[in-house]
Amino acid sequence: MRIALLVLIALGTGAVAPAVAAAQGLEQRTDSLEREIRLLRARIDSLVRVLERLTREDRDTTPARDELAALRAAARAAAARPDTAQAPEPQFVNRADNLNRLNPEISVTGDVRFTATRPGPQQDNVDLREFEFSFQSALDPFARTKIFLAFEEGEIDLEEAYAYWTGLPGGFRIDAGRLRQQVGELNRWHLHALPESEYPLVLREYFGEEGLIGNGLRVYWLAPFSGVGTGTHELWGEVTVADNDVLFDGGNRLAVLGHVKNFWQVSRSVFVQLGGTAMYGRNPDADLRTRVLGGDVRLSWRPPADALYRSFTLRGEGYAVRRLDAGVGDTRYGGYVSAEYQLSRRLFLGGRLDYVEPLGTADPATWAVVPRLTWWQSEWVYLKAEWQRASTPLAGGGRDTSDRFVLQAVWAIGPHKHETY
């Protein structure tokens, strides 16, 4: 009896083991099939224990043997079923940000100008104006940083250096550090990326030669109702140190700035952008208060079927600045209009008209016209020929007219793209 029982158990175990091994050897097995096999094995183990107990008690084990045979048949049938599970689709996991944290993007941009003036004399005709070093990197999954150093006039200047957090609830983004401030259309652009070789007269007169730059905090918000029919609407708020020499006479208090930008796609080829800016700051040490109001507009035409070869852009900005020194002062106005037409894939013809009333005086406005021709040799190199004709008021009355001819060469190495914001 014992020998027959051992033979029966060996046969049962030998029959089940290949089925289990075959089930485990399949590369893809459905969860339901695996659970069924585990249950069958558990029942077999339980029956084996029952048989051992009944054998010790010398009791009849025929019903148990019949059930064990049925379980072996069920296990064989389960293992023979075709596997209908589908292989999971391969998923791409982007590791770029992880690598970028260890290897930041480093770029260098060169900006050299050759000039000639009338009236003379001709001097300082070669201007190694700027070499900009750019460092950009992801800090972690939630924040990135951008740092721009400019080597100009024999010194290294920190142009921008800030970290920013994106993906915040409600469509918000936060920037902290040294920022080119969100004023109008062109102030955010870096010098080498401007349509003309210099900032418009109104930006240089009211914000300084390098434009408006501040140390502080910026909050960006994208309106949730932005869409194809309603356009895209953005709001910027900034709190920075009011240390601009022109607006605040180098103070150390806080200035606040708000900027709204609205963008619409009028047709497949035409895009319109409207913006507004308001800024206020004070320097109590100099008894100085300054208010700035501005508006900007841009119209772009780029036909989809010919986008590489034909485009047209018309933009303009206007400002009203009220600077009260000990409560005394008036509002001065300035602005510009510029246009650019793409003649071919690499050739662009454009120009700008400037008008600005100087701050701190009652002198008449300065005018300037700046036609230009730009040839993009490649994505990384462009050459620009420009004529600057300016008319400035004289202290004793009348006006002085001057001309300057500029040939500019700009090139870049590294992954940094020209940021036009």
Side-chain angles (χ1 to χ4, degrees), residues 133-200:
F133 299 84
S134 165
F135 305 87
Q136 303 186 43
S137 178
L139 301 174
D140 53 39
F142 312 102
R144 300 181 64 88
T145 186
K146 295 183 179 182
I147 301 174
F148 300 95
L149 302 175
F151 179 78
E152 50 188 342
E153 298 181 356
E155 297 181 354
I156 295 180
D157 178 56
L158 182 62
E159 184 172 359
E160 282 193 281
Y162 61 93
Y164 61 96
W165 290 259
T166 59
L168 300 177
F172 284 91
R173 162 181 159 173
I174 296 178
D175 303 0
R178 182 168 178 80
L179 315 162
R180 293 201 65 88
Q181 296 188 245
Q182 192 66 44
V183 176
E185 170 77 1
L186 292 182
N187 187 75
R188 285 288 290 133
W189 293 31
H190 292 182
L191 191 62
H192 59 80
L194 292 171
E196 285 77 31
S197 66
E198 294 179 327
Y199 290 104

Side-chain angles (χ1 to χ4, degrees), residues 273-289:
Q273 176 182 292
L274 297 176
T277 303
M279 183 178 186
Y280 174 78
R282 54 193 294 265
N283 181 357
D285 296 332
D287 196 10
L288 180 65
R289 291 181 294 134

Side-chain angles (χ1 to χ4, degrees), residues 178-255:
R178 182 168 178 80
L179 315 162
R180 293 201 65 88
Q181 296 188 245
Q182 192 66 44
V183 176
E185 170 77 1
L186 292 182
N187 187 75
R188 285 288 290 133
W189 293 31
H190 292 182
L191 191 62
H192 59 80
L194 292 171
E196 285 77 31
S197 66
E198 294 179 327
Y199 290 104
L201 278 179
V202 63
L203 299 187
R204 286 180 277 157
E205 175 66 24
Y206 293 161
F207 305 138
E209 288 295 322
E210 299 294 330
L212 188 59
I213 304 174
N215 303 325
L217 184 71
R218 175 166 58 211
V219 178
Y220 164 80
W221 179 66
L222 176 64
F225 50 82
S226 298
V228 176
T230 60
T232 300
H233 310 281
E234 302 173 335
L235 183 64
W236 306 77
E238 298 179 355
V239 179
T240 56
V241 178
D243 58 357
N244 184 273
D245 290 333
V246 178
L247 293 178
F248 308 112
D249 199 17
N252 59 5
R253 302 299 178 94
L254 294 180

